[in-house]
DNA sequence: CCACGTGTTGACTGATCAGTCAATCATCGC
DNA sequence: GCGATGATTGACTGATCAGTCAACACGTGG
């Protein structure tokens, strides 16, 4: 009989350890041994649960993506107007867990691995499609035919600010970045009128 | 007596091979052997000229940075007004060699390695500082006190569009992206007036 | 208390790779 | 020609690592 509690807790611990390890090394070039050690188990167990190193890493990316999605939903709750929803969408990318050092490092590393890893590529596409469609559906009532272009621009601003942040030192100011994008969007929307 | 012609041609070939190899694999996770083979020499020779793998890779990044700088200078030649200079600065990041597949892959990979490699970090800073100061000096006459914020926004747009392009499939349209940023900047500048 | 399935591990293997070294090859000044 | 100096390599080493395997631990149902 499987023991789902142990199984899921081990998997969770390994995924967390993988993200932490990626953050510490700043690369996807981590070892199964390192991840397992950090999770307090043997490397053989990591293989037992995930089968391969790639599976651990894509599970980690999936976990980050889920966190981002959850953050987005949380911020959308109770928000109605399109402009306010856009604010929430933008803020979601700079809030919650998304701005933890190791998450940024992992995110960046996944962008790289999407170049050659099929599954990483697929997951990255999911994120991009999700972001674009969220932006688009709230921009359409505000900007009509310009919505697609505006959505691309806002998405680029989000990714651009986010990734530039990855190479900074010192304290980050996620809320400030979100506010900056927001203000820019205000100007772009107003100029259309 | 050293034979500078051979020395430089070998070094150049190895750096080109390194960029090509990074592009093919989509990672900084390339082997000295692979680079050397692509350059038509033994891996021992690569070590002879560069001392270590890291030295080859940072040389590759330096080469890309030099190419970007050269492209920038070329596009600035004969251009005088600040608005036109801004257009040239933006276009430089999307023109020349910068948009070749392997250069994009290498650029992305360097962003990652800047997380843990001191020299990569330094080089990335050089690029960022250069871009920011170029934008700033031409934005100041147009936007006064808002110039710093605008410079950050434009820089984020450049990096954002560039990096999003890295995960695309199909044909790229670098000129179109530059034009998009340009149009956005027009709106932002006008709104200030 | 036994049998069975799951959890868990240490030890091992096969492969890969960065970097070294001693030895040849080529070229140039003399 | 000849020695010196750089160019170049094949073979080697030491280390690292993903993944395997056989065995042991342990709780549960019978």
């Amino acid at each position: 009989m499987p023991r789902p509690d142990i199984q899921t807790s081990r998997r969770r611990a390994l995924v967390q350890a993988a993200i932490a390890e990626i953050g510490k090394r700043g690369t996807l070039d981590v070892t199964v041994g390192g991840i397992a050690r950090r999770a307090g188990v043997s490397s053989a167990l990591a293989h037992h649960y995930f089968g391969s190193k790639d599976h651990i890493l894509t599970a980690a990316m999936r976990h980050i993506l889920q966190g981002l999605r959850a953050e987005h939903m949380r911020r959308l709750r109770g928000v109605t107007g399109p402009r306010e929803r856009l604010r929430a969408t933008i803020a979601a990318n700079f809030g919650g867990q998304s701005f933890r050092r190791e998450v940024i490092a992992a995110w960046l590393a996944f962008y790289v691995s999407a170049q050659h890893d099929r599954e990483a590529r697929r997951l990255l596409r999911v994120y991009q499609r999700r972001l674009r469609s969220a932006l688009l559906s709230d921009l359409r009532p505000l900007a009509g035919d310009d919505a697609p272009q505006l959505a691309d621009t806002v998405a680029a601003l989000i990714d651009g600010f986010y990734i530039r942040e990855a190479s900074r030192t010192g304290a980050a100011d996620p809320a400030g970045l979100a506010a900056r994008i927001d203000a820019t969007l205000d100007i772009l929307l107003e100029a259309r009128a």
Side-chain angles (χ1 to χ4, degrees), chain A residues 15-23 63-64 67 93-108 162 165-166 172 174:
Chain A
V15 164
Q16 299 280 12
I19 294 172
E21 196 75 4
I22 292 167
H63 183 261
I64 289 176
N93 282 274
F94 293 92
Q97 307 290 351
S98 307
F99 234 74
R100 277 166 42 214
R101 243 202 127 43
E102 61 269 36
V103 174
I104 295 182
W107 193 256
L108 204 48
Y162 188 83
E165 200 59 28

Side-chain angles (χ1 to χ4, degrees), chain A residues 55-108:
Chain A
H55 284 54
I56 303 179
L57 297 182
T58 57
M61 186 175 185
R62 232 186 312 269
H63 183 261
I64 289 176
L65 232 48
Q66 275 171 4
L68 183 57
R69 185 183 176 81
E71 180 72 19
H72 189 196
M73 308 253 276
R74 193 175 319 126
R75 287 183 187 253
L76 237 38
R77 199 167 299 147
V79 176
T80 52
R83 187 63 189 85
E84 284 68 36
R85 288 171 56 90
L86 285 169
R87 208 182 309 280
T89 299
I90 293 167
N93 282 274
F94 293 92
Q97 307 290 351
S98 307
F99 234 74
R100 277 166 42 214
R101 243 202 127 43
E102 61 269 36
V103 174
I104 295 182
W107 193 256
L108 204 48

Side-chain angles (χ1 to χ4, degrees), chain A residues 32-52:
Chain A
V32 175
I35 294 170
R37 202 173 314 122
R38 188 181 284 265
V41 298
S42 71
S43 77
L45 195 67
H47 278 103
H48 174 68
Y49 279 121
F50 284 95
S52 80

